[in-house]
Amino acid sequence: MDTRDRNTDPAAQGAMIPDGAILPTDPILTDVRETIPGGPPAPGETTAAKGTEKIRTPFQESLLRLWRDKRAMVCAGIILFFVLLAVLGPLIYQHVGGTFQSSINGATPSSVYHNPFHQELDHQDEFASGMYWLGTDSVGRDLLARLMQGLLISISVAVLVEIVDIVLGITIGVLAGYFGGWIDQFLARFTDIMFAFPGLLFVILLTGIFGTWADTTLGNIPIIGPNGNARLILVSLALAFTAWPLMARYVRGQTLQLKEQQFVEAARTSGASSAQIILRHIIPNLLSIVIIASTLNIANTIVGEAGISLLGLGVQSPGSSLGLMISDGISLIDSHPWEVLLPSIVLAIIVLCFSFLGDGLRDAFDPRSKD
Amino acid sequence: MNLLEVNNLQTYFFTRGGVVKAVDNVSFVMNAGETLGVVGESGCGKSVTALSVMRLIANPPGKIVGGEINFNGENILEKNQHELTEMRGSKISMIFQDPMTSLNPVFTVGYQIAETVKRHRKDVSNDQAWKRAIEMLDLVRISDPKRRAKNYPHEFSGGMRQRVMIAIALSCNPQLLIADEPTTALDVTIQAQVLELMKGLSREFNTAVMLITHDLGVVAGTCQQVNVMYAGHIIESAPVKQIFETPAHPYTVGLLQSIPRLHESRGSRLTPIAGQPPDLSNPPVGCPYAPRCPKVQNRCRQERPELMPVGRGEQVAACFYPN
Amino acid sequence: MVQEVETPKQAGTTLVDVKGLKVYFPIKGGILGRTVAQVKAVDGVDLFVRRGETLGLVGESGCGKSTTGRAILQLIKPTEGSVKLDGVELTTLSPNQIRQKRAEMQMVFQDPYGSLDPRYTIGQIVAEPLENFHRGNAKSLQDEVAGLLEVVGLNPYYVNRFAHEFSGGQRQRIGIARALALHPSFIVADEPVSALDVSIQAQVLNLLGDLQGKFGLTYLFVAHNLSVVKHISDRVAVMYLGRVVELAKSETLYELPLHPYTQALLSAIPVPDPEIESKRKRIILEGDVPSPVNPPSGCNFNPRCWKAQAVCREIIPPLEEKQSNHYAACHFPG
């Protein structure tokens, strides 16, 4: 009962529709006059379709706010750099450097010795050089190549996990929030169980139990299968399994709130079915919270995958993962510290960047949460 | 000496979209024991004026950029934080619109009143403060005050919470009470109760009241003097009878004509005011009401009128062609 | 029970007929979630609205007026009672049938900010009802929407703008355009001007009145501001704690309120006239509105009524015609 015209908060004045929005010579409202010039074309001029330019949606406003957030943009830039490095890097690196004479393998072109799986046993634990830009590990593998491979793994896992997370989270979250009933009960009990379990422990359990099975059956899937990456799918599924209940909870909460909004009631009054209401009004208004939650979850996923691989349950040699590299390099921390520092620093940076980006997203899409 | 004297107050908000001149050159006085009504629609600057007097403007983005506010001869704008804290609650008190969120939900009502007393009267013991709290609850006609002082805010209804707010505000016997839309969120029958109460207490303790509202009916029933605000300016100021019987400024006239009255016959068309209030970050040159005024002339669009007498006693209006 | 009475002046037929409407909300408690109590939001309401007229439904917070409006539109399922729209019983229809009926009964909402989805342009918002009922193709929809915007006084030039760019009053007009889209015969206006500034209220009220004349609409106007309701309504029903306590023509209600609550309500309304204000005798009610979970026995106004007698605590007074076309639920009216 207390809502006055909120749009006149002095700190929130913006470009409001001038009262040229009210027709000047409307037969119904003869007492309302056209006032501010610069509005729509005068009656008599043809409006055609020209007058209907789009202005920014609230979503676009949020994106603009994000664009202005320097810290978030820097982090997004770094993430983009890492992504490009992981995807395009190997392709470029393959052709850098000439053929070199290996004492073991004979003439070795750069496409071979810059391959993350190729072992040059003559050049073990080397520091950065012209040939090996970041040095080699204890079996002569190019560290930069392994780093890029590891990044690719991390990012692939993160993307895969997020897709499952988002799809499952939104579906179950919206259904639970909108309809309640047994779906809601199921979600509630399921999340209770998942939260009671330490997440990493659960993933370890899953990978431990199904690890060898994954190697044999999934190992035959092309591209991702060989080179110890079969486990990747398992790890991704395990991480997704533990992540989606939280997303569903967020979505459910937001759905409950949206359900009570008058525009949802208005949609029902306009004859929309539940499906139409969910697709048209609820899900689009959930996007901000989903974007924020998934960005922050990516940070968790990357750490999770690294942790699993470090424990030896994820990506196996000869495959590469940031976690695996760390585990390989730990024993050499006194003699060849860069072998463990390199992957650790990269891991730290990328996780921090996702966290700051998530923070920035939250500020951009939900500025009230800043106070 | 006037109790409160506001001279050329300017409070601006510095936002990304521009500088919003929420209060632009406002001047008025209040006398002891008088009830002043500050009337206007949303965005006219009435709340910002009150918050400026209390120095509660959030900075950033707001700032009092000019003018002076003299309370009992002292300029509030020159006081430091310590002096302001002492002033608020004991010399000038404020109550707000939403009774649901104005009280702290985790403390009892008695505690909140007693806390105010103890903050301003260091010589008072806990027991005395509690007794005063019960006294105040009785004063605002809450039945069974001894028991209810131990209740929490959620155990009270909206109207009663507003009365508790009044109790807190008056507990240290301030000279000025600022009430920002105190009854807007209340039902009409409860509003009547609360306004009766405020009138009675103001008379009994000679407390001046600045009553901010958009409801002209409330003003007619409780105030002696009325300021009408529009777009950050006071555009008319007069004793209450004159505002209603002989409004001078076209905005006041328009406002009075646009309200449905209980006494009027059904079916008569309301006369709304055309258009909308101006954008305060880009106010028009000249009179702020010119774009909507039915009597606008060229001079109005070029020059900004100041408050000037209209030839009926104390009534002043910011218009070149008043009624 | 309220009977339909045809007055010589308006021989309109009854469009909406409500009898014995009850809406109870259960309060669950305990580990097993049993119903421990009920909020009796609407506790036996009879009313009828004639074609082409405006029935005002007025009362303070918690009286059940908004719930009544929604229950009539079947947005909330009534616990008991009958609601007939143009002779068709709505409470026994299936959800799909109700959806079809929506084309005949629409609502204008209170909150100009919450009632429009911020992600859509006003053109899309107004077109949504038409799309739901497949009323035309893309081109004809565009024209239809432009026409609707014009009818409510908005320039169709702004059809692709988003809701947040409009002011409160303009947003309410968009909401009205949306309500008109399906050409309904009956519209429930739920506090449509309460959130607007006073001078804008007048614009929107005039608009509603004009549209009624133009399209032959029937309104149920729900509000708490008696002056506003009186201005726009032909007849007014006053609600208190879930029941209608008085029902009469607008002027009659003001001039001669029969129910003590109506008298108190009228006396509490501040009038913008200092002469009148200083001279009035105010009836100040004691105490607060009781909770609808535990309404008083008998007449639910009796604890605050200065006329209350023993019979008031025992017997619920029925809404009966006390004077010509003037109904009141009171043992001692007048």
Side-chain angles (χ1 to χ4, degrees):
Chain A
M1 253 212 293
D2 68 326
T3 44
R4 291 292 119 190
D5 208 328
R6 278 180 242 155
N7 260 5
T8 50
D9 167 14
Q13 293 266 338
M16 296 292 290
I17 305 275
D19 228 35
I22 311 273
L23 279 182
T25 51
D26 186 90
I28 292 177
L29 301 176
T30 47
D31 47 23
V32 181
R33 296 195 333 237
E34 164 134 48
T35 48
I36 300 174
E45 281 176 33
T46 42
T47 31
K50 300 302 166 284
T52 52
E53 1 92 10
K54 262 191 190 273
I55 307 282
R56 287 185 224 116
T57 69
F59 191 75
Q60 290 164 329
E61 293 274 350
S62 300
L63 286 178
L64 192 65
R65 259 199 297 270
L66 184 67
W67 179 252
R68 291 200 196 109
D69 182 351
K70 300 262 178 3
R71 189 177 68 174
M73 282 294 105
V74 166
C75 290
I78 296 177
I79 292 172
L80 187 63
F81 166 71
F82 279 133
V83 169
L84 289 174
L85 185 65
V87 171
L88 298 177
L91 301 171
I92 302 173
Y93 198 46
Q94 292 239 334
H95 303 288
V96 167
T99 312
F100 107 101
Q101 283 298 346
S102 157
S103 46
I104 306 173
N105 304 321
T108 324
S110 58
S111 54
V112 171
Y113 65 78
H114 277 166
N115 182 301
F117 309 111
H118 173 80
Q119 299 178 359
E120 195 61 44
L121 293 164
D122 237 4
H123 291 265
Q124 292 166 333
D125 298 317
E126 274 187 13
F127 194 60
S129 66
M131 191 164 113
Y132 291 110
W133 284 10
L134 289 179
T136 58
D137 69 357
S138 45
V139 285
R141 293 179 291 201
D142 185 324
L143 280 179
L144 178 55
R146 282 186 72 73
L147 205 61
M148 295 193 292
Q149 175 75 354
L151 270 174
L152 187 62
I153 299 292
S154 293
I155 291 165
S156 314
V157 168
V159 168
L160 190 56
V161 166
E162 269 331 292
I163 292 176
V164 176
D165 187 29
I166 290 175
V167 169
L168 261 185
I170 290 186
T171 311
I172 304 208
V174 166
L175 292 177
Y178 194 82
F179 293 110
W182 62 266
I183 305 182
D184 199 14
Q185 290 298 319
F186 158 71
L187 176 65
R189 298 290 85 79
F190 192 82
T191 47
D192 284 344
I193 295 173
M194 293 309 299
F195 285 157
F197 247 105
L200 209 56
L201 192 64
F202 201 84
V203 180
I204 292 173
L205 254 166
L206 276 179
T207 44
I209 297 175
F210 295 105
T212 36
W213 171 86
D215 280 335
T216 43
T217 19
L218 298 178
N220 296 322
I221 301 177
I223 300 174
I224 20 174
N227 296 320
N229 288 345
R231 294 257 180 153
L232 225 52
I233 302 170
L234 182 63
V235 169
S236 306
L237 290 177
L239 285 169
F241 191 70
T242 48
W244 78 261
L246 187 60
M247 174 69 81
R249 267 270 179 98
Y250 286 140
V251 168
R252 172 188 176 272
Q254 192 78 334
T255 304
L256 284 176
Q257 208 184 34
L258 286 169
K259 204 171 62 153
E260 302 305 317
Q261 293 283 325
Q262 282 195 348
F263 64 78
V264 169
E265 211 181 0
R268 199 174 304 132
T269 317
S270 305
S273 64
S274 290
Q276 285 169 319
I277 292 178
I278 290 177
L279 288 170
R280 228 184 265 161
H281 294 283
I282 307 251
I283 292 187
N285 281 302
L286 286 173
L287 286 186
S288 356
I289 207 179
V290 168
I291 290 176
I292 296 166
S294 51
T295 307
L296 291 172
N297 194 51
I298 288 181
N300 277 346
T301 307
I302 293 178
V303 171
E305 181 274 319
I308 295 294
S309 300
L310 186 142
L311 291 172
L313 295 168
V315 175
Q316 307 279 319
S317 263
S320 171
S321 152
L322 293 175
L324 200 54
M325 288 175 77
I326 293 176
S327 127
D328 285 341
I330 280 184
S331 43
L332 302 164
I333 196 169
D334 290 324
S335 48
H336 311 284
W338 65 90
E339 289 188 34
V340 72
L341 281 180
L342 235 39
S344 308
I345 291 175
V346 168
L347 183 63
I349 292 178
I350 209 173
V351 167
L352 272 176
C353 281
F354 269 111
S355 297
F356 283 138
L357 182 61
D359 235 11
L361 280 167
R362 195 182 320 141
D363 287 342
F365 282 89
D366 188 16
R368 285 163 288 153
S369 64
K370 238 199 233 170
D371 316 315
Chain B
M1 175 176 62
N2 295 315
L3 178 68
L4 178 71
E5 206 180 288
V6 174
N7 289 324
N8 302 16
L9 178 65
Q10 289 170 307
T11 306
Y12 294 175
F13 285 80
F14 298 89
T15 71
R16 170 167 261 130
V19 179
V20 177
K21 300 190 178 161
V23 171
D24 200 8
N25 224 328
V26 158
S27 306
F28 64 93
V29 301
M30 278 186 78
N31 297 311
E34 158 184 83
T35 302
L36 169 73
V38 181
V39 165
E41 298 176 296
S42 22
C44 71
K46 50 193 199 296
S47 287
V48 175
T49 307
L51 291 172
S52 301
V53 170
M54 291 289 275
R55 295 278 304 270
L56 286 174
I57 300 284
N59 178 11
K63 199 161 155 26
I64 301 177
V65 299
E68 51 178 34
I69 302 178
N70 290 322
F71 183 71
N72 272 333
E74 297 170 350
N75 189 350
I76 293 182
L77 297 179
E78 285 166 7
K79 291 192 185 231
N80 60 38
Q81 278 304 324
H82 178 72
E83 292 167 330
L84 286 175
T85 320
E86 258 189 86
M87 173 190 89
R88 293 185 194 125
S90 72
K91 303 222 183 56
I92 309 183
S93 280
M94 189 156 174
I95 60 178
F96 299 90
Q97 175 177 330
D98 187 0
M100 299 299 155
T101 53
S102 310
L103 291 171
N104 192 327
V106 301
F107 291 110
T108 61
V109 144
Y111 178 89
Q112 297 191 46
I113 303 177
E115 182 191 37
T116 313
V117 175
K118 287 193 35 212
R119 161 123 13 96
H120 294 285
R121 301 280 307 278
K122 307 283 194 282
D123 53 321
V124 159
S125 75
N126 282 349
D127 279 336
Q128 288 173 310
W130 188 261
K131 269 185 47 195
R132 175 85 178 140
I134 299 179
E135 253 174 55
M136 293 306 302
L137 287 176
D138 189 38
L139 199 65
V140 297
R141 302 207 214 120
I142 292 196
S143 51
D144 200 2
K146 251 215 196 99
R147 183 180 63 90
R148 303 238 58 186
K150 300 197 208 127
N151 285 144
Y152 288 88
H154 67 265
E155 299 176 80
F156 291 80
S157 70
M160 293 178 88
R161 276 189 236 194
Q162 203 61 311
R163 285 193 251 167
V164 169
M165 286 300 303
I166 295 174
I168 296 177
L170 295 180
S171 57
C172 298
N173 225 332
Q175 292 171 289
L176 171 63
L177 172 67
I178 303 180
D180 189 358
E181 308 252 23
T183 54
T184 305
L186 304 176
D187 281 324
V188 116
T189 47
I190 311 291
Q191 170 175 278
Q193 288 178 359
V194 172
L195 289 174
E196 273 294 302
L197 179 69
M198 281 175 62
K199 259 164 72 171
L201 291 176
S202 144
R203 241 178 284 143
E204 191 175 331
F205 296 102
N206 204 33
T207 315
V209 177
M210 187 192 298
L211 181 61
I212 298 168
T213 177
H214 63 277
D215 187 335
L216 288 167
V218 165
V219 164
T222 51
C223 305
Q224 287 115 29
Q225 180 80 9
V226 179
N227 286 351
V228 181
M229 289 189 72
Y230 184 80
H233 298 85
I234 299 181
I235 49 99
E236 185 162 357
S237 177
V240 67
K241 247 179 84 145
Q242 289 181 307
I243 285 274
F244 285 95
E245 281 175 17
T246 51
H249 197 285
Y251 175 62
T252 318
V253 173
L255 216 52
L256 287 167
Q257 281 179 345
S258 66
I259 318 173
R261 313 273 182 121
L262 225 37
H263 306 263
E264 271 166 16
S265 59
R266 207 238 133 209
S268 51
R269 257 178 102 71
L270 296 171
T271 323
I273 303 181
Q276 274 167 225
D279 180 0
L280 291 178
S281 59
N282 203 359
V285 176
C287 176
Y289 191 59
R292 304 169 82 183
C293 184
K295 301 172 64 182
V296 64
Q297 312 274 348
N298 268 330
R299 186 180 179 200
C300 306
R301 286 193 251 262
Q302 288 152 2
E303 262 179 79
R304 155 105 43 95
E306 300 289 330
L307 280 174
M308 36 204 168
V310 299
R312 286 193 284 268
E314 297 161 24
Q315 185 171 10
V316 292
C319 183
F320 295 124
Y321 309 99
N323 276 13
Chain C
M1 288 290 212
V2 171
Q3 265 125 13
E4 302 170 12
V5 178
E6 310 275 333
T7 53
K9 235 193 316 177
Q10 302 162 300
T13 51
T14 303
L15 182 61
V16 178
D17 197 4
V18 177
K19 287 199 169 49
L21 185 66
K22 288 192 186 163
V23 182
Y24 291 178
F25 296 111
I27 301 178
K28 304 238 190 276
I31 307 174
L32 298 172
R34 285 164 306 133
T35 305
V36 296
Q38 296 190 313
V39 178
K40 301 191 179 152
V42 180
D43 200 9
V45 158
D46 299 326
L47 42 88
F48 66 95
V49 193
R50 296 195 195 98
R51 208 176 284 273
E53 84 165 339
T54 301
L55 176 68
L57 189 57
V58 78
E60 296 179 298
S61 45
C63 70
K65 56 191 191 297
S66 283
T67 313
T68 303
R70 285 175 162 78
I72 292 177
L73 290 183
Q74 306 299 308
L75 286 170
I76 298 179
K77 206 146 177 21
T79 312
E80 242 183 74
S82 134
V83 177
K84 290 213 188 108
L85 178 68
D86 211 3
V88 177
E89 176 63 55
L90 295 177
T91 52
T92 52
L93 294 179
S94 72
N96 225 352
Q97 288 169 315
I98 293 181
R99 223 163 65 79
Q100 296 304 317
K101 272 287 176 188
R102 294 247 175 268
E104 291 170 50
M105 48 184 195
Q106 285 292 306
M107 187 154 172
V108 177
F109 295 87
Q110 171 176 2
D111 185 2
Y113 296 90
S115 60
L116 304 176
D117 190 332
R119 315 212 70 130
Y120 292 100
T121 63
I122 63 166
Q124 290 167 319
I125 291 174
V126 174
E128 187 177 353
L130 296 166
E131 285 170 352
N132 287 338
F133 282 88
H134 308 293
R135 298 256 181 110
N137 54 42
K139 179 70 178 66
S140 70
L141 276 183
Q142 250 186 18
D143 294 331
E144 184 84 26
V145 166
L148 285 165
L149 289 177
E150 276 184 23
V151 146
V152 298
L154 288 171
N155 196 322
Y157 175 83
Y158 294 101
V159 69
N160 280 338
R161 298 294 182 92
F162 291 90
H164 69 266
E165 302 175 58
F166 293 86
S167 71
Q170 292 165 342
R171 292 168 82 120
Q172 280 304 68
R173 290 176 195 250
I174 297 168
I176 293 172
R178 172 177 56 192
L180 289 175
L182 295 170
H183 300 292
S185 42
F186 177 56
I187 293 186
V188 173
D190 185 20
E191 310 250 24
V193 297
S194 306
L196 303 176
D197 273 325
V198 155
S199 57
I200 311 290
Q201 284 189 16
Q203 288 180 14
V204 177
L205 287 174
N206 281 351
L207 174 65
L208 286 171
D210 292 332
L211 291 172
Q212 181 173 46
K214 191 167 176 163
F215 294 107
L217 299 168
T218 306
Y219 288 146
L220 177 68
F221 195 95
V222 178
H224 63 274
N225 184 331
L226 200 57
S227 318
V228 166
V229 169
K230 182 191 179 266
H231 181 88
I232 197 174
S233 313
D234 297 294
R235 290 182 306 135
V236 176
V238 179
M239 278 187 79
Y240 182 80
L241 214 55
R243 297 191 194 135
V244 175
V245 297
E246 191 159 355
L247 172 60
K249 298 230 296 274
S250 293
E251 292 93 22
T252 329
L253 192 85
Y254 171 71
E255 279 158 28
L256 202 53
L258 293 177
H259 195 284
Y261 175 64
T262 315
Q263 293 167 354
L265 199 59
L266 286 168
S267 109
I269 298 173
V271 172
D273 186 330
E275 280 292 328
I276 299 183
E277 281 286 304
S278 57
K279 298 206 175 84
R280 304 166 85 159
K281 280 286 289 165
R282 271 243 155 81
I283 303 174
I284 304 284
L285 291 178
E286 295 294 324
D288 288 301
V289 183
S291 151
V293 177
N294 224 348
S297 59
C299 169
N300 47 22
F301 187 61
N302 82 66
R304 303 167 86 195
C305 184
W306 60 95
K307 294 190 193 170
Q309 312 271 347
V311 62
C312 302
R313 280 184 282 276
E314 287 153 26
I315 306 180
I316 300 178
L319 187 65
E320 293 175 325
E321 191 169 9
K322 306 287 185 192
Q323 291 175 2
S324 163
N325 248 325
H326 191 154
Y327 303 80
C330 183
H331 295 300
F332 308 100

